[in-house]
Amino acid sequence: MSDIDDYFSVESLINIADELASHGHYRAAVMEAMTALEERVNDVVFLSLERRRGLPTNLVKWLKDKTKYNFDEKLQPIGEFALGRPISKGETLWNNYKKARNLRNKVSHTAQWIGETDARFVIQTVREWLHFLESAKYVHKSDRVSDQTMKFLSMYAILVSRFNLSKGSKPIPISIAVRNAQKRGCLSAEAAQVMLTAVDYRNKITHGQDVPSDQLRTVIRELKELLSRLKGFEIDASPTFENEQD
């Protein structure tokens, strides 16, 4: 599956939440975004379990029923078993999920006011997780550097979720989005190169190709530094005037 397919399937899932937030319906936006995440987790986790050899159909159905009202268990440990990879607690992706989950619970169970900042945070977190799940489900079970691979994919998901394409823009691969952002002056040449390397590694991993562990460690370090600088920043990846003339 290509990065372009991933990006727009994710955007379509949370489009309604974005629209609700744009019109000031922040509580509804939080609920819609988290519902999109739960639906995708159900698809990815339980489809993976159903495809596992040796797992009785009744067991999969029992696990699905057991976790119907416990979303955390769908991510850990059942999600880890289904994907064949650990989902690391203590990292940004997991910590953001916990905060988004708590905001959703407040919306569901209390009359506490939710503002735009909180709603946008939940939407952004869901976007990150959806990108992560899209990549994780394609990782081959034979991968020998599972912890490192999943750490890379979680950071890649956060990176891709930072891109903002104006509404109505034609679908474009993330690699082109990076170049657009660089032409707009939103990214330095160095930052763009780190991102393009990450896109290349992600595509190799999801197609079962090997990425040497030392190269993966290097890009993880570079992504960590880059994401720290980009915290809270949306990258304008819409086409430049020159691109539109091509």
Side-chain angles (χ1 to χ4, degrees):
M1 191 169 191
S2 67
D3 56 5
I4 183 173
D5 293 333
D6 295 353
Y7 188 82
F8 284 91
S9 64
V10 168
E11 292 306 304
S12 65
L13 277 170
I14 58 176
N15 181 57
I16 296 176
D18 263 325
E19 288 295 322
L20 287 167
S22 297
H23 290 87
H25 304 303
Y26 305 129
R27 293 172 65 87
V30 167
M31 295 302 296
E32 187 68 32
M34 293 299 287
T35 297
L37 177 57
E38 291 181 5
E39 288 180 355
R40 180 53 60 90
V41 168
N42 277 335
D43 291 342
V44 173
V45 169
F46 291 107
L47 181 59
S48 296
L49 287 177
E50 288 168 2
R51 290 174 174 172
R52 282 287 185 96
R53 291 182 180 179
L55 277 185
T57 302
N58 287 342
L59 175 59
V60 176
K61 183 180 183 300
W62 180 81
L63 288 171
K64 194 171 186 177
D65 291 340
K66 181 180 183 294
T67 59
K68 185 175 182 180
Y69 301 109
N70 193 331
F71 187 63
D72 284 10
E73 286 189 3
K74 289 178 185 176
L75 293 181
Q76 288 189 318
I78 294 174
E80 291 187 347
F81 176 73
L83 297 173
R85 297 289 176 270
I87 301 173
S88 300
K89 292 186 176 181
E91 294 185 1
T92 301
L93 200 65
W94 183 259
N95 289 337
N96 286 352
Y97 159 71
K98 288 195 299 183
K99 183 177 177 181
R101 175 199 61 194
N102 290 339
L103 287 168
R104 192 278 306 273
N105 289 344
K106 288 177 181 178
V107 169
S108 299
H109 306 305
T110 74
Q112 182 171 325
W113 180 81
I114 293 291
E116 181 176 8
T117 299
D118 287 337
R120 292 295 179 188
F121 173 81
V122 172
I123 293 171
Q124 175 66 20
T125 297
V126 169
R127 186 178 278 116
E128 293 168 0
W129 270 92
L130 292 175
H131 280 298
F132 172 72
L133 289 167
E134 284 298 330
S135 295
K137 71 179 180 181
Y138 290 101
V139 176
H140 285 209
K141 301 293 187 296
S142 61
D143 184 12
R144 291 174 304 215
V145 287
S146 59
D147 290 349
Q148 186 169 259
T149 298
M150 293 303 269
K151 184 174 183 179
F152 165 73
L153 291 177
S154 69
M155 296 179 76
Y156 176 83
I158 295 171
L159 171 67
V160 174
S161 71
R162 293 290 186 267
F163 284 93
N164 175 40
L165 292 171
S166 60
K167 292 186 182 299
S169 294
K170 295 179 181 179
I172 57 174
I174 298 302
S175 55
I176 300 300
V178 170
R179 295 188 176 96
N180 286 349
Q182 184 181 359
K183 288 179 180 179
R184 286 188 169 279
C186 299
L187 296 173
S188 67
E190 180 184 9
Q193 186 54 55
V194 171
M195 291 182 179
L196 291 173
T197 299
V199 171
D200 179 52
Y201 288 1
R202 180 269 180 190
N203 290 339
K204 286 181 177 178
I205 288 170
T206 56
H207 286 89
Q209 299 177 34
D210 182 52
V211 177
S213 58
D214 59 332
Q215 294 181 20
L216 208 53
R217 280 195 298 270
T218 297
V219 78
I220 286 173
R221 185 185 70 250
E222 293 173 341
L223 279 176
K224 185 176 182 179
E225 294 171 356
L226 180 58
L227 289 171
S228 178
R229 296 197 298 271
L230 292 174
K231 189 173 183 179
F233 177 68
E234 270 196 349
I235 305 169
D236 185 355
S238 55
T240 61
F241 176 77
E242 291 79 4
N243 287 348
E244 293 170 347
Q245 302 305 305
D246 293 339

